[in-house]
Amino acid sequence: AQSVAQPEDQVNVAEGNPLTVKCTYSVSGNPYLFWYVQYPNRGLQFLLKYITGDNLVKGSYGFEAEFNKSQTSFHLKKPSALVSDSALYFCAILNQAGTALIFGKGTTLSVSS
Amino acid sequence: EADIYQTPRYLVIGTGKKITLECSQTMGHDKMYWYQQDPGMELHLIHYSYGVNSTEKGDLSSESTVSRIRTEHFPLTLESARPSHTSQYLCASRISGTEAFFGQGTRLTVV
């Protein structure tokens, strides 16, 4: 069965420091992977995706993610965090039937000034 | 901003009332979804549709129903609201091979 795990409920970083939000997945075949961000009382905003190609994917707002097939991971990264990056981040995978996205439990990122 | 709209944004309603949450998209996407999310929590798929006249139940059992009579419209209905239905409902759409686009959500409170 396919699944997505986000092992950290919360990540705390200081402004200007690099950040990493972790995601691991389980699926048969080639994965379609996504990262979304959610601000309070809002819907989800798409950040980036991995379908095929380069393992390092660049997305919106300076975020990037590295696909690692051997470790079945797709960690979200940013070289220098901003206070405005504080939000709830979701990793998602397309299910094996290709019909819907399955989401992780979410990680709250808190960036302090 | 994605062209997918949910109304109302906020709804407070009494127990036993019938409600319909609206979702419309102007992108011509064939696939549409409803997710349920408690505040700050994970998303659970409750309904999805491959296209007109196609609807399926998701992973989380829900007492709600959906319809897809037009490509752009995917309303969700609760025949008799209960306090346990209090949650945020997120609508999304996509086409094959792409990411999903989400609406702003409807926060439902049943009192």
Side-chain angles (χ1 to χ4, degrees):
Chain A
Q2 58 271 341
S3 64
V4 177
Q6 293 181 242
E8 302 155 316
D9 290 335
Q10 179 142 352
V11 171
N12 300 309
V13 298
E15 188 174 32
N17 283 358
L19 69 87
T20 298
V21 183
K22 296 180 181 178
C23 173
T24 60
Y25 66 90
S26 174
V27 70
S28 298
N30 295 321
Y32 283 29
L33 295 157
F34 307 85
W35 275 102
Y36 286 83
V37 61
Q38 185 180 34
Y39 296 99
N41 298 315
R42 301 293 293 273
L44 273 66
Q45 296 179 30
F46 169 74
L47 284 177
L48 49 78
K49 65 183 176 186
Y50 173 83
I51 304 295
T52 186
D54 289 341
N55 290 342
L56 185 63
V57 179
K58 294 190 181 297
S60 305
Y61 312 120
F63 284 94
E64 58 189 28
E66 186 168 13
F67 171 66
N68 187 317
K69 189 172 184 177
S70 63
Q71 296 185 3
T72 62
S73 67
F74 189 54
H75 300 331
L76 181 70
K77 300 182 179 183
K78 187 173 183 180
S80 179
L82 299 172
V83 172
S84 57
D85 292 330
S86 299
L88 183 58
Y89 289 81
F90 289 97
C91 181
I93 190 167
L94 188 63
N95 65 5
Q96 288 172 203
T99 53
L101 269 61
I102 299 170
F103 286 83
K105 292 186 176 182
T107 298
T108 298
L109 172 66
S110 179
V111 182
S112 56
S113 56
Chain B
E1 292 287 326
D3 294 323
I4 179 165
Y5 308 100
Q6 290 186 243
T7 57
R9 287 291 313 280
Y10 303 92
L11 178 62
V12 180
I13 199 162
T15 297
K17 299 293 186 181
K18 178 180 178 179
I19 59 171
T20 297
L21 307 184
E22 301 288 348
C23 177
S24 295
Q25 51 96 4
T26 59
M27 297 173 283
H29 289 173
D30 55 343
K31 298 174 178 60
M32 295 190 74
Y33 307 88
W34 278 103
Y35 289 87
Q36 185 174 341
Q37 181 189 30
D38 291 328
M41 304 290 284
E42 61 190 298
L43 282 77
H44 296 285
L45 180 67
I46 51 175
H47 297 284
Y48 61 98
S49 168
Y50 298 136
V52 172
N53 294 325
S54 149
T55 62
E56 301 285 344
K57 289 188 178 295
D59 302 323
L60 181 68
S61 176
S62 174
E63 295 167 345
S64 59
T65 59
V66 292
S67 63
R68 190 90 183 273
I69 299 173
R70 303 197 316 265
T71 298
E72 63 271 22
H73 195 214
F74 191 43
L76 181 146
T77 298
L78 279 165
E79 290 293 333
S80 180
R82 295 208 301 265
S84 61
H85 297 139
T86 294
S87 190
Q88 173 155 260
Y89 294 84
L90 294 169
C91 181
S93 71
R94 61 184 284 269
I95 56 175
S96 294
T98 71
E99 64 272 22
F101 295 87
F102 281 81
Q104 298 282 34
T106 293
R107 184 170 296 282
L108 173 66
T109 301
V110 184
V111 298

